[in-house]
Amino acid sequence: MNKTTELYSGKAKTVYETDSPDHLILEFRDDATAFDGTKKASLARKGAVNNQFNAFIMTQLQTAGINTHFVEQRSANESVVKRLAMIPVECVVRNIAAGSICKRLGLEEGQTFAEPIFEFFYKDDALHDPMINDAHILAFQWATADEIEQMKQLTLAVNNILKPLFAEAGILLVDYKLEFGRFHGELVLGDEFTPDGCRLWDADSGEKLDKDRFRRDLGNVIEAYEDVANRLGITLT
Ligand code: TMP
Ligand code: ASP
């Protein structure tokens, strides 16, 4: 499969059209951003680490029965994916209190919830990704009631697959964000699953091993991503 034209360049990935109308190529770049793109840096190896991390997780999810857009890894920092029509919402699941829910509800970071909490956000950096609910998604016709139900169920199903996977590597899956799209009418998991879009804490020390290291200037950002990858058994090239 060959790249043809650049379709879109996001904050950390560039998307290319290919000679197949049903496929795109994702190029994971070394760019890191936070706080809706206002904080920026280039971190050596990030693109390759995240591409290989994502390939591993997407393959695990696919094997466990989740329909994903992932087709194959193409190079160290590129993957072939199915071309989805993306739904502009972010599906977040939280197992432990961190990030925006702490500010919103006045919680201490680190509290484990009795049940995983599901939240929808509207994907719009200029508006700081505001929290929304099912009614907004229906009123703006971003997705049908059936698709909303599928997004919730699939995002929670991913928790049941990934929480034990990370736990075996001595890592707590604190929270994560997923995005979905449609492929010939079917709801499919798109975008990526990397330490850029989730929170991962060392189970013993509580050390942060995700993008909070970049957000909070904790240093060794990519070293932490590589540590997680190694602990999951991913062989990075
Ligand atoms: P939050 O605490 O900022 O709401 O984020 C919850 C989780 O979802 C966290 O792991 C980061 C991820 N996330 C993104 O990666 N991008 C986003 O735009 C949002 C809203 C969340
Ligand atoms: N995903 C957003 C960004 O990269 C928000 C964040 O991660 O802080 O700007």
Side-chain angles (χ1 to χ4, degrees):
M1 196 154 311
N2 295 302
K3 286 180 182 173
T4 53
T5 51
E6 181 180 317
L7 183 65
Y8 170 78
S9 193
K11 288 178 287 185
K13 296 191 291 299
T14 303
V15 183
Y16 295 90
E17 291 188 303
T18 68
D19 36 28
S20 158
D22 273 345
H23 296 90
L24 298 172
I25 290 173
L26 300 184
E27 180 197 337
F28 288 72
R29 307 193 313 272
D30 286 346
D31 298 313
T33 73
F35 309 120
D36 307 313
T38 54
K39 176 171 176 156
K40 291 184 195 165
S42 177
L43 303 177
R45 306 192 303 284
K46 178 172 181 280
V49 171
N50 273 5
N51 181 50
Q52 293 170 73
F53 196 107
N54 180 64
F56 174 83
I57 297 286
M58 288 286 175
T59 302
Q60 294 285 323
L61 295 177
Q62 194 75 47
T63 303
I66 305 286
N67 200 359
T68 84
H69 71 156
F70 182 77
V71 176
E72 62 183 8
Q73 197 182 310
R74 182 178 191 258
S75 70
N77 68 339
E78 296 167 308
S79 288
V80 178
V81 298
K82 289 179 183 163
R83 183 178 192 146
L84 308 186
M86 295 305 291
I87 296 171
V89 304
E90 308 199 327
C91 300
V92 169
V93 162
R94 303 175 189 274
N95 295 306
I96 301 174
S100 72
I101 198 169
C102 292
K103 278 192 195 156
R104 202 178 330 122
L105 301 181
L107 306 178
E108 283 270 341
E109 185 180 86
Q111 170 190 340
T112 300
F113 300 125
E115 294 286 332
I117 296 174
F118 179 94
E119 296 171 343
F120 278 124
F121 295 87
Y122 173 42
K123 189 176 166 70
D124 188 318
D125 278 343
L127 299 175
H128 312 295
D129 297 335
M131 194 176 178
I132 52 169
N133 66 31
D134 305 27
H136 301 89
I137 297 176
L138 288 171
F140 298 119
Q141 298 185 304
W142 289 328
T144 64
D146 179 54
E147 288 170 333
I148 290 172
E149 206 43 51
Q150 284 187 59
M151 287 193 280
K152 290 181 186 174
Q153 289 191 5
L154 287 167
T155 306
L156 287 163
V158 164
N159 202 34
N160 293 331
I161 300 162
L162 295 187
K163 227 167 58 161
L165 189 86
F166 283 109
E168 275 177 41
I171 295 165
L172 298 174
L173 177 58
V174 174
D175 59 28
Y176 56 92
K177 179 264 301 178
L178 302 181
E179 296 181 29
F180 293 88
R182 298 180 195 96
F183 185 72
H184 298 295
E186 211 180 10
L187 194 81
V188 176
L189 175 62
D191 194 49
E192 67 179 64
F193 192 104
T194 68
D196 272 4
C198 65
R199 288 191 173 91
L200 302 169
W201 295 351
D202 181 89
D204 293 327
S205 66
E207 189 187 2
K208 296 181 196 305
L209 303 171
D210 55 68
K211 198 165 89 173
D212 272 346
R213 299 200 69 81
F214 174 67
R215 294 188 188 96
R216 300 186 184 192
D217 295 320
L218 299 176
N220 295 327
V221 179
I222 301 308
E223 288 79 359
Y225 290 23
E226 287 169 330
D227 178 31
V228 176
N230 289 332
R231 286 157 70 168
L232 290 173
I234 303 170
T235 317
L236 296 170
T237 58

